[in-house]
């Protein structure tokens, strides 16, 4: 025990000096070990964890506590996070280079027709037989043979232009090729959709096709069924087309009607059109089915589509050009167009009607 204040002060000073001497010895020993392990820089400890820690600019607070000759250090650092005020602004989102367009209606009607390329003229001309007199008969030896006759006439259908366009900057078409491709697809689809509407419902006259439905024969059940189902109705329509001596080759109806037919079951709960687990080509009574949204629910068109001809003067194409001040504004006008004509050669072999 210290005898007085002077002895106490001397004892405290001696203990602190011993502590400091111990720390100096520890640091000297650490430097020698780092040098032996190839530490670079001054005294071989520049790249030591200690020097990196001391030189780190991320240290905000170093708290040193000395207790019984030992030193502890508590460090607080700034953490980088995805917060925009921190490191979040440096991250770039992943860019999917594909462009998602709007859904498109499937187009079927053109594929049902006979398509004939045309390379000249503003209209298409074809010969149609209007009358036949068949006097064929047995001709006994030495007698005059019977004479038959036939009458033909030339018919013309106009070739009409179906087109649309939009304006875009040259920069965006150059910088975003995927967008350019989408524009081409969209414009081509727009023309194809308008074409399908014209083929089915065109009113004729200047600048319009005369469509299949306006020229088709109205459905009149040749079987006069009392309470026909929708399947019965389509079967009767096929028969009506067959009675024109032209073989029917297709059925067009709305997808909702087609799926209602596909879901028809027999008395045992089995699907009439086959197992839902099997994928079959849409067919009915041996004829392909075109389920098109162009036809309103409840309506159908049945008969010989191949007897009707689509004259293709210009296939759908995309052209680019300038108008007005487009050139000096780096704008370009994109035009999609086609030129077609439609000849409904056998309107009696097309049957249009509605389900009861």
């Amino acid at each position: 025990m210290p005898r007085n204040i002077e002895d106490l002060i001397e004892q405290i000073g001696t203990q602190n000096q011993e502590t400091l001497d111990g720390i100096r010895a520890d640091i000297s020993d650490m430097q020698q070990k780092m040098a032996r392990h190839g530490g670079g820089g001054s005294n071989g400890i520049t790249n030591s964890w200690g020097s990196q820690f001391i030189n780190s600019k991320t240290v905000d607070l170093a708290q040193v506590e000395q207790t019984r000759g030992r030193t502890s250090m508590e460090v607080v650092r700034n953490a980088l996070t995805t917060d925009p005020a921190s490191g979040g602004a440096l991250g770039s989102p992943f860019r999917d280079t594909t462009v998602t367009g709007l859904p498109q209606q499937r187009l079927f009607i053109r594929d049902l027709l006979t398509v004939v390329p045309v390379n000249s003229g503003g209209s298409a001309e074809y010969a149609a037989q209007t009358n036949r007199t068949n006097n064929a008969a047995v001709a006994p030896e030495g007698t005059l043979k019977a004479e038959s006759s036939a009458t033909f006439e030339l018919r013309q259908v106009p070739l009409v232009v179906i087109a649309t366009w939009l304006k875009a900057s040259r920069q965006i078409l150059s910088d975003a090729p995927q967008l350019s491709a989408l524009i081409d697809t969209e414009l081509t689809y727009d023309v194809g959709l308008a074409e399908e509407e014209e083929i089915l419902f065109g009113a004729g006259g200047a600048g319009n096709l005369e469509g299949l439905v306006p020229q088709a024969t109205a459905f009149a059940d040749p079987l006069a069924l009392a309470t026909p189902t929708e399947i019965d109705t389509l079967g009767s329509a096929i028969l009506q087309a067959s009675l024109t001596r032209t073989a029917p080759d297709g059925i067009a109806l709305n997808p909702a009607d087609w799926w209602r037919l596909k879901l028809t079951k027999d008395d045992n709960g089995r699907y009439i059109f086959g197992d839902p687990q099997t994928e079959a080509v849409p067919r009915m009574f041996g004829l392909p089915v075109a389920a098109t949204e162009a036809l309103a629910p409840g309506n159908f068109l049945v008969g010989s589509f191949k007897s009707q001809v689509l004259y293709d003067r210009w296939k759908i194409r995309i052209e680019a050009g300038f108008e007005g001040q487009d050139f000096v504004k780096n704008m370009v006008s994109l035009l999609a167009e086609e030129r077609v004509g439609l000849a409904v050669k056998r309107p009696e072999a097309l049957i249009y009607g509605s389900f009861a």
Side-chain angles (χ1 to χ4, degrees), residues 229 231 263-273:
T229 64
I231 296 177
L263 295 177
T264 304
K265 300 177 182 178
D266 60 18
D267 293 338
N268 295 319
R270 294 172 298 190
Y271 290 100
I272 292 177
F273 284 91

Side-chain angles (χ1 to χ4, degrees), residues 80-124:
L80 291 177
T81 69
T82 57
D83 191 297
S86 181
L90 301 178
S92 297
F94 170 75
R95 172 62 61 87
D96 187 349
T97 57
T98 58
V99 180
T100 302
L102 295 176
Q104 296 182 350
Q105 173 181 318
R106 297 183 64 185
L107 308 177
F108 292 101
I109 302 303
R110 169 187 266 259
D111 295 335
L112 296 177
L113 308 178
T114 297
V115 179
V116 175
V118 177
N119 53 22
S120 64
S123 63

Side-chain angles (χ1 to χ4, degrees), residues 258-287:
W258 170 237
W259 273 97
R260 186 166 54 253
L261 295 176
K262 286 185 67 174
L263 295 177
T264 304
K265 300 177 182 178
D266 60 18
D267 293 338
N268 295 319
R270 294 172 298 190
Y271 290 100
I272 292 177
F273 284 91
D275 189 344
Q277 297 185 63
T278 61
E279 184 177 359
V281 177
R283 298 186 72 85
M284 185 175 238
F285 297 109
L287 304 183

Side-chain angles (χ1 to χ4, degrees), residues 1-13:
M1 292 293 295
R3 292 174 300 210
N4 50 44
I5 294 298
E6 289 79 5
D7 292 341
L8 179 59
I9 293 174
E10 182 179 356
Q11 183 177 350
I12 292 174

